[in-house]
Amino acid sequence: MANAMKKADVVIVGFGWTGAIMAKELTEAGLQVVALERGPMRDTYPDGSYPQVIDELTYSIRKKLFQDLSRETVTIRHGLDDVALPNRQLGAFLPGDGVGGAGLHWSGVHFRVDPVELRLRSHYEERYGKGFIPDGMTIQDFGVSYEELEPYFDFAEKVFGTSGQAWTVKGETVGQGSGGNPFAPDRSDHFPLPSQKNTYSAQLFQQAAAAVGYHPYNLPSANTSGPYTNPYGVQMGPCNFCGFCSGYVCYMYSKASPNLNILPALRQAPNFELRPNSHVLRVNLDSSGSRATGVTYVDAQGREVEQPADIVILGAFQFHNVRLMLLSGIGKPYDPKTGDGVVGRNFAYQNMATIKAYFDQDVHTNPFIGAGGNGVAVDDFNADNFDHGPHGFVGGSPFWVNQAGTRPIGGISNPPGTPAWGSAWKRATAENYTHHLSMDAHGAHQSYRDNYLDLDPTYKDAYGQPLLRMTFDWKDNDIRMNQFMVGKVRRIAEAMNPKALAILGKQPGDRFNTQSYQTTHLNGGAIMGSDPKTSAVNRYLQSWDVHNVFVPGASAFPQGLGYNPTGLVAALTYWAARAIREQYLKNPGPLVQA
Amino acid sequence: MSADDILDSRRSFLRKSLTLIPVVTVAGSGIGLGAAVVADPAPAQAKARDEAAPAGSGTAYQPVFFTAEEWAFVNAAVARLIPADATGPGALEAGVPEYIDRQLTTPYATGATWYMQGPFVADAAPEFGYQLRLVPRDIYRLGIAAADDWCGRQYGKRFAELDAATQDQALGLLEAGKATFDAVPAKVFFSYLLTNTKEGFFCDPIHGGNKGLVGWKLVNFPGARADFMDWVERGERYPIPPVSIRGERA
Ligand SMILES: Cc1cc2nc3c(=O)[nH]c(=O)nc-3n(C[C@H](O)[C@H](O)[C@H](O)COP(=O)(O)OP(=O)(O)OC[C@H]3O[C@@H](n4cnc5c(N)ncnc54)[C@H](O)[C@@H]3O)c2cc1C
Ligand code: SF4
């Protein structure tokens, strides 16, 4: 029998970026907020203490901060007729766990969105005609515009303390020749901090990209270029390019995290409570199934506890949000055969390619120097910044050198054909490690009718509940786009005049591989939109079916972006929070009439 | 199901994988090469340790997980995977055998953060990643026994007793999956051995490997310096030698 806690106004599932933003916004509105986080308490101290945190084996290799798969994982299959197998070891993606979520150990590349990608289907149909979008590709519009979101992008950057260079501010060009991105949409204000310095590898990329006629710009990074105080009064110190960034807690108080940038302000609020070690099993619904009454979770001692609340926020990360909806009966599960239903629909990922360049002994790239969000990029082939007509695929890709810091256990890379061990390997390793660099095409990934999420029929989590099943494979459009992008990045790579290149791209027939890290940029499954038949949540991230459940996260993206997702995730969360504060609280009910 | 039941099923999984061990240990020392090993394990153990102790090192590390025969195998194998040569010290000098032995007493050894509920489909396509029921302890215990057994059939000696060129040939056959083992796929065993060897060569010495920071010196990695404010923009060799978490310098 579950123990019942005192009712709260709001219960938030998960305390990563979305959970922390919602907690701050809704406590500001005077609501009593309880955040339930399945993992342990984590913070800069003690989890990011120097020198203990400078330990590649513990963090990058044994993956201390990521999700414990012995408790919960996903199963994966390529096609509708296959049997899915569990993802037993962390590989392609690294979900977060504990207070701060993946926001504690992310890298910090902090983008907005290309406005075209918010209305991707409409844009392609207008420019290239309806027939251009392949059969089975289910891309659609977000139902919200860049102009509507701009104030929230701006505020999120100020909370995160983001470093970058604007191209235009209120229509006036300010970024020419100083690292701005000519393809970036207009902004209402500058970045809160100027761009960071660039690593030598990024400088090489910048020169080579300019030499082949592209338009290099400084990556916007949520790693500080100088001291900063955010709107919540939280202080950050300057990033020193320590190189232990992605997968680590920042010991310098320089990488934005929910723990550093929001939690200190929340701790001052008497109407906020954070309960770590609280794994939510399900959202409870009333007998009509159209209103949530709270959630049930398992506490550190293994007891089931009920937390009643008037509003439930699912901030558990993209695929956990989808799973919790399926486990709780919120929204109609998607059926890929009929195309009916919405929960689980439009699951999409990232379409990555990587090129490594190896140089002679006089070029010192020092790959151990870097910061997670730092680098130089080009957008010439991102979004719809080039004519897709002759190429016949949907989607774009930024390219970059994003030297986040690579260390020798995981970061040794030798030219193709080098033996994997023995004296030849050792010599090559000594000659290449500090003389190589890595660049990526961080391609957008589209959604398809048969790439989707549902509950696995066989495998269970540590609490006896079915695991989430991913049905996912690369499609012809993805492979062709990947090959096109590799061809373009290769021009930049060759302009650097390396002695050798390694090209890691996709070939026809390649299947989705769960072992090699792509990104943790998983999208969709509880997508936003204007039509309840094709979206699970409305433009305010409110469930169409259960009006007091809101679902922030990349689960709301109808397809993947060229950029990293968190800037858009954060802006959408602030946008949804504003709708709750200004509209929903006055008149609880659907914010959009179906 | 309550969380307690889960702990129980986890424990029973661990029990199952642990019960595997003694059986294999016996089998491992009965590989039929040199009856002395079976009849009188103590001298063999001492001999293996003598062989393993890097020249000039003071007190030899006493393995906690590995038996004497396994210890001899690991010492011999890592010395070929990352050999001492003209570029500098190798895995043996870096203390990689100690590193691996110590790792096999951590939660990693029992796959504590892996999803280990069945059903297991061991012959799944490689795109699905690791699908075996075995955890690292099993992979070493079964893999070393199988490799020594295979070397016995192939070359008439245990791995540690082969000359360096034959050892390299044997490792190459394991790597390519050309040696077939029953208990554990040879390729899986080899890949754990190689991965863990590189970890032990490049990790912070706090984990028992990279002694004297020899791995970091080889590639000019500065270890726990973690402050490059003054070097980020420079395309020059980083001049400050490495330091470890405990403050050891090279
Ligand atoms: C290594 C790495 C690098 C990244 N780098 C970048 C980058 O450079 N740029 C970028 O834009 N994005 C990056 N990301 C992605 C970024 O971290 C996520 O987009 C972001 O954290 C999403 O926020 P969220 O609140 O949706 O999820 P999270 O921040 O992951 O938070 C979700 C929280 O919910 C908790 N939770 C899950 N299930 C339950 C449950 N049942 N009960 C209670 N709690 C639960 C989790 O433990 C977690 O703490 C990176 C991710 C990783 C892993
Ligand atoms: S690179 Fe910068 S932001 Fe990243 S962990 Fe180090 S100091 Fe922090």
Side-chain angles (χ1 to χ4, degrees):
Chain A
M1 207 27 226
N3 314 322
M5 304 295 280
K6 193 166 149 278
K7 184 170 165 192
D9 295 323
V10 181
V11 64
I12 298 179
V13 183
F15 195 81
W17 273 125
T18 57
I21 289 170
M22 278 290 185
K24 184 72 181 80
E25 286 283 312
L26 300 180
T27 49
E28 278 178 15
L31 301 174
Q32 196 72 39
V33 176
V34 173
L36 301 173
E37 165 54 51
R38 68 176 170 188
M41 183 57 215
R42 282 191 177 133
D43 214 338
T44 305
Y45 179 82
D47 303 279
S49 300
Y50 183 88
Q52 287 76 17
V53 73
I54 309 301
D55 182 353
E56 183 186 9
L57 183 78
T58 299
Y59 292 92
S60 298
I61 306 298
R62 297 287 176 260
K63 304 182 164 65
K64 181 172 175 182
L65 299 176
F66 307 133
Q67 180 171 322
D68 176 355
L69 298 190
S70 75
R71 309 206 69 76
E72 178 181 351
T73 187
V74 296
T75 67
I76 298 172
R77 60 177 183 165
H78 287 131
L80 296 183
D81 299 327
D82 300 344
V83 175
L85 295 176
N87 186 39
R88 297 188 181 277
Q89 300 177 344
L90 287 166
F93 44 85
L94 303 169
D97 201 357
V99 170
L104 183 60
H105 54 67
W106 70 319
S107 309
V109 178
H110 186 185
F111 275 112
R112 294 186 168 193
V113 68
D114 189 291
V116 157
E117 290 185 315
L118 291 178
R119 50 189 306 279
L120 196 67
R121 177 167 285 272
S122 299
H123 176 88
Y124 268 80
E125 288 183 355
E126 285 157 20
R127 182 166 177 187
Y128 303 108
K130 283 198 163 137
F132 192 83
I133 300 172
D135 273 355
M137 185 185 281
T138 51
I139 57 173
Q140 62 191 54
D141 299 355
F142 279 66
V144 63
S145 71
Y146 175 78
E147 289 70 28
E148 286 173 299
L149 291 178
E150 204 287 334
Y152 305 95
F153 282 119
D154 179 65
F155 187 67
E157 286 164 358
K158 287 175 169 143
V159 170
F160 284 45
T162 302
S163 310
Q165 172 61 55
W167 180 257
T168 59
V169 175
K170 297 200 182 94
E172 193 191 330
T173 306
V174 296
Q176 200 150 22
S178 52
N181 174 13
F183 297 100
D186 194 34
R187 308 165 52 90
S188 59
D189 200 356
H190 292 268
F191 283 93
L193 288 169
S195 303
Q196 290 187 282
K197 291 176 178 174
N198 283 322
T199 60
Y200 186 65
S201 301
Q203 294 169 41
L204 291 176
F205 182 86
Q206 183 177 38
Q207 289 152 18
V212 297
Y214 305 154
H215 300 83
Y217 64 92
N218 295 329
L219 278 180
S221 66
N223 314 137
T224 48
S225 58
Y228 182 70
T229 304
N230 83 359
Y232 301 145
V234 176
Q235 297 184 342
M236 303 175 81
C239 160
N240 69 7
F241 303 91
C242 81
F244 287 78
C245 202
S246 188
Y248 299 78
V249 182
C250 174
Y251 82 94
M252 291 292 290
Y253 297 85
S254 313
K255 174 169 68 178
S257 69
N259 318 57
L260 171 59
N261 297 58
I262 301 179
L263 188 56
L266 272 173
R267 287 193 200 285
Q268 317 292 319
N271 51 338
F272 174 69
E273 191 193 339
L274 171 60
R275 268 179 234 151
N277 306 307
S278 304
H279 182 102
V280 174
L281 296 175
R282 76 189 85 85
V283 179
N284 301 315
L285 304 181
D286 71 4
S287 55
S288 73
S290 62
R291 219 180 62 82
T293 57
V295 303
T296 298
Y297 67 94
V298 177
D299 74 5
Q301 296 188 56
R303 294 176 298 205
E304 279 198 16
V305 183
E306 204 184 309
Q307 176 61 61
D310 287 331
I311 299 177
V312 175
I313 308 282
L314 297 182
F317 186 66
Q318 180 264 342
F319 65 78
H320 297 303
N321 285 347
V322 177
R323 178 167 179 255
L324 282 165
M325 290 176 82
L326 291 168
L327 289 172
S328 311
I330 300 173
K332 188 173 175 198
Y334 174 67
D335 178 343
K337 297 221 163 81
T338 62
D340 291 342
V342 288
V343 182
R345 184 171 182 274
N346 278 29
F347 171 52
Y349 196 9
Q350 196 88 60
N351 188 0
M352 292 287 285
T354 298
I355 294 189
K356 292 174 193 274
Y358 307 87
F359 299 95
D360 288 327
Q361 298 300 294
D362 56 342
V363 177
H364 299 272
T365 59
N366 298 328
F368 48 83
I369 300 177
N374 181 255
V376 170
V378 299
D379 268 6
D380 297 69
F381 297 94
N382 190 25
D384 197 34
N385 296 340
F386 63 107
D387 183 4
H388 282 75
H391 308 299
F393 61 77
V394 174
S397 174
F399 310 150
W400 57 54
V401 161
N402 165 220
Q403 189 162 293
T406 52
R407 301 141 300 264
I409 302 176
I412 293 290
S413 173
N414 291 318
T418 309
W421 53 277
S423 278
W425 168 83
K426 198 174 163 214
R427 200 178 326 106
T429 295
E431 284 170 5
N432 286 292
Y433 171 60
T434 57
H435 308 283
H436 88 285
L437 61 78
S438 186
M439 63 208 104
D440 305 308
H442 190 264
H445 184 249
Q446 310 311 326
S447 40
Y448 300 90
R449 183 171 169 141
D450 54 356
N451 279 346
Y452 77 109
L453 304 172
D454 69 350
L455 294 175
D456 191 89
T458 308
Y459 293 96
K460 303 267 193 293
D461 71 6
Y463 308 94
Q465 302 204 100
L467 297 183
L468 190 75
R469 175 169 69 176
M470 294 178 172
T471 303
F472 181 85
D473 209 354
W474 305 118
K475 310 288 180 187
D476 177 58
N477 182 85
D478 309 331
I479 309 263
R480 284 190 301 111
M481 175 178 117
N482 196 275
Q483 295 193 318
F484 174 86
M485 297 301 170
V486 164
K488 300 296 174 192
V489 189
R490 196 178 171 141
R491 289 188 60 208
I492 307 179
E494 282 166 355
M496 293 181 193
N497 211 6
K499 67 171 186 194
L501 291 178
I503 295 174
L504 304 149
K506 297 189 174 70
Q507 303 300 326
D510 277 2
R511 317 299 307 268
F512 170 56
N513 189 325
T514 64
Q515 296 180 88
S516 50
Y517 188 68
Q518 285 268 327
T519 63
T520 310
H521 307 158
L522 302 142
N523 313 290
I527 69 177
M528 63 192 294
S530 334
D531 180 353
K533 287 205 191 60
T534 54
S535 57
V537 297
N538 65 26
R539 68 199 304 257
Y540 302 109
L541 310 183
Q542 179 185 37
S543 161
W544 287 110
D545 302 272
V546 184
H547 69 75
N548 61 339
V549 172
F550 289 79
V551 193
S555 43
F557 296 6
Q559 57 273 334
L561 311 179
Y563 290 155
N564 313 51
T566 309
L568 180 57
V569 166
L572 283 171
T573 308
Y574 276 112
W575 150 266
R578 192 47 53 120
I580 297 173
R581 290 174 72 166
E582 290 177 358
Q583 299 175 51
Y584 185 81
L585 292 179
K586 285 184 201 129
N587 186 12
L591 295 173
V592 178
Q593 289 310 320
Chain B
M1 196 192 259
S2 78
D4 283 348
D5 295 336
I6 296 305
L7 283 178
D8 270 355
S9 66
R10 177 107 214 115
R11 269 186 226 114
S12 75
F13 170 74
L14 292 179
R15 262 199 308 275
K16 271 178 225 142
S17 49
L18 285 173
T19 48
L20 213 55
I21 287 161
V23 180
V24 182
T25 310
V26 172
S29 42
I31 50 175
L33 302 163
V37 177
V38 181
D40 188 4
Q45 202 158 7
K47 181 164 173 285
R49 284 206 185 114
D50 287 347
E51 282 166 1
S57 76
T59 48
Y61 173 78
Q62 302 294 309
V64 175
F65 172 77
F66 290 123
T67 65
E69 295 76 16
E70 292 166 342
W71 185 241
F73 177 94
V74 170
N75 276 270
V78 305
R80 296 316 306 155
L81 294 175
I82 307 182
D85 59 17
T87 60
L92 208 52
E93 296 72 25
V96 168
E98 171 181 341
Y99 163 81
I100 298 178
D101 187 68
R102 280 173 53 177
Q103 283 295 303
L104 292 175
T105 63
T106 68
Y108 166 70
T110 53
T113 59
W114 299 354
Y115 181 78
M116 282 307 224
Q117 295 192 41
F120 289 88
V121 180
D123 56 356
E127 288 86 16
F128 292 96
Y130 193 82
Q131 293 294 337
L132 301 182
R133 194 187 286 269
L134 307 172
V135 299
R137 283 185 164 211
D138 307 328
I139 294 171
Y140 276 94
R141 195 123 274 167
L142 300 169
I144 294 174
D148 262 340
D149 193 34
W150 179 84
C151 287
R153 279 182 277 117
Q154 200 78 6
Y155 306 110
K157 286 180 184 165
R158 285 190 294 158
F159 180 84
E161 292 159 354
L162 301 172
D163 61 48
T166 314
Q167 286 177 337
D168 285 355
Q169 186 193 54
L171 289 169
L173 292 169
L174 296 193
E175 180 184 29
K178 288 193 179 132
T180 357
F181 301 169
D182 279 341
V184 51
K187 266 181 126 156
V188 171
F189 168 60
F190 180 85
S191 90
Y192 274 79
L193 183 63
L194 179 60
T195 300
N196 294 147
T197 298
K198 290 180 180 173
E199 289 167 6
F201 193 62
F202 290 123
C203 66
D204 190 280
I206 206 159
H207 300 288
N210 193 15
K211 289 189 198 306
L213 316 186
V214 295
W216 293 349
K217 277 200 287 187
L218 177 75
V219 298
N220 201 38
F221 176 70
R225 296 249 169 241
D227 177 1
F228 304 108
M229 201 66 128
D230 56 347
W231 215 264
V232 54
E233 296 178 299
R234 294 164 80 150
E236 297 162 55
R237 183 176 195 277
Y238 187 71
I240 306 174
V243 63
S244 74
I245 289 175
R246 283 187 302 230
E248 298 140 291
R249 281 151 213 271

